[in-house]
Structures are given as structure tokens and as C-alpha cells.
């Protein structure tokens, strides 16, 4: 059973489109995250949710909007896609919000904007 | 804010040889320290973590890391590498209190030659 899954694995789209990436974890964790990994493999946190509550919201464009329908799911919607949004997006989860940094990562979604 | 430096961008090592990856952190107190590995096309997997106590920590896949407070370092080692160890390795740091975000280094690419 996959612990943290993401769909789709690859996403190719044109500038200006709106797209969503879905993430699900079956570990029973309370906290979920979205990371962006750029072409130089630099990994930076974007958002974090704890029990459907937004707890980390880094400086990302308003075009990015996370949504957590329940604590097992964290989706990422991106409006008006730009070339600079091309990256690999990772979802992760951890057992608890406080002092628990053992994060389990999904396989990533490679987004290519043309 | 904390930061992480991985001085080596790329390391090539022969199969069976030893491996050491360097990590230096900048933080006012002792942070929590982590090493993650990313195999090609995969998400990140936690190798080991240091919170407190014994400064030599053992991880999965035969890896170990040593915390040296005087040098602000948390170097990763493996006595004998296998071809499957070829991957990207990330050092990460998180504060003990307050901000619950992981900050990642830029990563070190390890190539294993036969």
C-alpha cells in the first residue's frame, strides 16, 4: 500500500491554464505539506495543513491555493499557470504538528508549463 | 532563521568505497537535524534524524551521521557504498521550538561507479 500518493505523476500544460494536483495519505497522519522542488533540486515548503487547518503559508503567489477536504487529503490548485511554475511538487505528511519532523513524501508530480 | 549548507554538489565514489557527505547548519541553538535521500524519480525518504543525546546516530541502509556542535556539522557516512546508493542526499534542519518548518540544503548528488 502506498503511504503518500499523488496524482498525476506528470502534468504538461500550457501557460494560462488552471490545474490541480491531488495528494492522499493513508498513514493516519494529522499534518500534510506541499513542497516545490525547482530545476536545481532546491526544495522549499509552500503550505502545511494540520487537521484541515492551514498552519504554514509561505510566500507563494496567490495563484496557488491548497485545499484540505479532510486530514487524509491535501490538494493543490494552481491558476493561470506560468512558465516559472514548472517544477516537481511533493506532498508529504507527518504524524503530528508539534515537534514531529519525520515526514513521509509522495513520489512527486512533475509539472511542465509550455 | 536557520539555514543549511551542503558544500559538495556532486560526489563520485567507487562501489565498496566509503562515503562522507558534509552538512553545516546555521542556527542560534541546537536544531533538529535530518538526512533524507531521494532516489531517481522518487520522493524523499528519511535516512536518520538527530534530536538530542548520543551524537552518533544510526539510520537505515547502513548510514550513520555524527553531530558536532563545535563545528555546526552533521555529516553523513557509509562505510561501503552499493550501486543502489546513487541518489540525491538532502540535509535538513528544523528548530526545536516555534516554527515547525524543515529547511533543506541544496543537496548532494552521489554517483557510484562500478
Amino acid at each position: 500500500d502506498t503511504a503518500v500518493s499523488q496524482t498525476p505523476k506528470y502534468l504538461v500544460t500550457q501557460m494560462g491554464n488552471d490545474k490541480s494536483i491531488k495528494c492522499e495519505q493513508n498513514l493516519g497522519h494529522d499534518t500534510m505539506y506541499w513542497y516545490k522542488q525547482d530545476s536545481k533540486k532546491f526544495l522549499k515548503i509552500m503550505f502545511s495543513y494540520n487537521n484541515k487547518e492551514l498552519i504554514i503559508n509561505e510566500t507563494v503567489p496567490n495563484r496557488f491555493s491548497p485545499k484540505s477536504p479532510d486530514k487524509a487529503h491535501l490538494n493543490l490548485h494552481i491558476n493561470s499557470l506560468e512558465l516559472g511554475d514548472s517544477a516537481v511538487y511533493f506532498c508529504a505528511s507527518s504524524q503530528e504538528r508539534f515537534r514531529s519532523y519525520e515526514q513521509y513524501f509522495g513520489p512527486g508530480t512533475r509539472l511542465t508549463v509550455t | 532563521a536557520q539555514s543549511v549548507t551542503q558544500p559538495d554538489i556532486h560526489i563520485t565514489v567507487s562501489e565498496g568505497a566509503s562515503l562522507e557527505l558534509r552538512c553545516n547548519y546555521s542556527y542560534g541553538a541546537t536544531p533538529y537535524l535530518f538526512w533524507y535521500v531521494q532516489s531517481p524519480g522518487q520522493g524523499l525518504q528519511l535516512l536518520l534524524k538527530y534530536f538530542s543525546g548520543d551524537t552518533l546516530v544510526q539510520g537505515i541502509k547502513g548510514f550513520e551521521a555524527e553531530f558536532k556542535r563545535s563545528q555546526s556539522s552533521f555529516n553523513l557516512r557509509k562505510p561501503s557504498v552499493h550501486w543502489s546508493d546513487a541518489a540525491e542526499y538532502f540535509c535538513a534542519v528544523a528548530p526545536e521550538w516555534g516554527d515547525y518548518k524543515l529547511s533543506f540544503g541544496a543537496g548532494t548528488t552521489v554517483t557510484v561507479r562500478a
Side-chain angles (χ1 to χ4, degrees), chain A residues 9-10 37 41 88 90 106-108 110, chain B residues 37-45 61 82-90 108-112:
Chain A
K9 189 169 177 64
Y10 299 96
Q37 186 176 49
K41 298 198 174 181
V88 181
F90 287 100
R110 182 174 295 277
Chain B
V37 61
Q38 182 181 20
S39 297
Q42 303 296 316
L44 280 73
Q45 181 183 21
K61 305 186 180 188
H82 185 261
W83 63 266
S84 60
D85 294 323
E88 191 81 20
Y89 292 81
F90 293 93
T108 298
T109 303
V110 172
T111 299
V112 180

Side-chain angles (χ1 to χ4, degrees), chain A residues 2-110:
Chain A
T2 303
V4 182
S5 59
Q6 296 179 228
T7 53
K9 189 169 177 64
Y10 299 96
L11 184 54
V12 181
T13 188
Q14 292 184 328
M15 286 175 53
N17 286 347
D18 303 338
K19 290 294 179 184
S20 292
I21 305 172
K22 295 186 176 182
C23 178
E24 177 181 2
Q25 55 95 2
N26 62 6
L27 298 167
H29 288 171
D30 287 342
T31 308
M32 297 184 71
Y33 313 80
W34 276 113
Y35 287 87
K36 179 180 180 181
Q37 186 176 49
D38 63 24
S39 59
K40 296 185 178 180
K41 298 198 174 181
F42 182 67
L43 199 66
K44 184 169 172 55
I45 191 167
M46 300 172 69
F47 302 103
S48 177
Y49 270 76
N50 181 69
N51 274 324
K52 302 195 295 176
E53 175 192 359
L54 182 65
I55 57 172
I56 295 174
N57 186 356
E58 290 296 279
T59 307
V60 298
N62 292 335
R63 300 181 293 102
F64 289 80
S65 55
K67 186 167 287 187
S68 181
D70 56 61
K71 74 173 191 177
H73 295 83
L74 180 61
N75 303 323
L76 183 65
H77 188 76
I78 314 171
N79 290 325
S80 303
L81 278 155
E82 300 178 357
L83 293 176
D85 297 332
S86 295
V88 181
Y89 292 85
F90 287 100
C91 177
S93 72
S94 66
Q95 187 169 9
E96 59 187 74
R97 169 183 179 181
F98 298 104
R99 304 181 68 182
S100 175
Y101 304 100
E102 184 167 348
Q103 297 184 19
Y104 292 78
F105 284 75
T109 296
R110 182 174 295 277

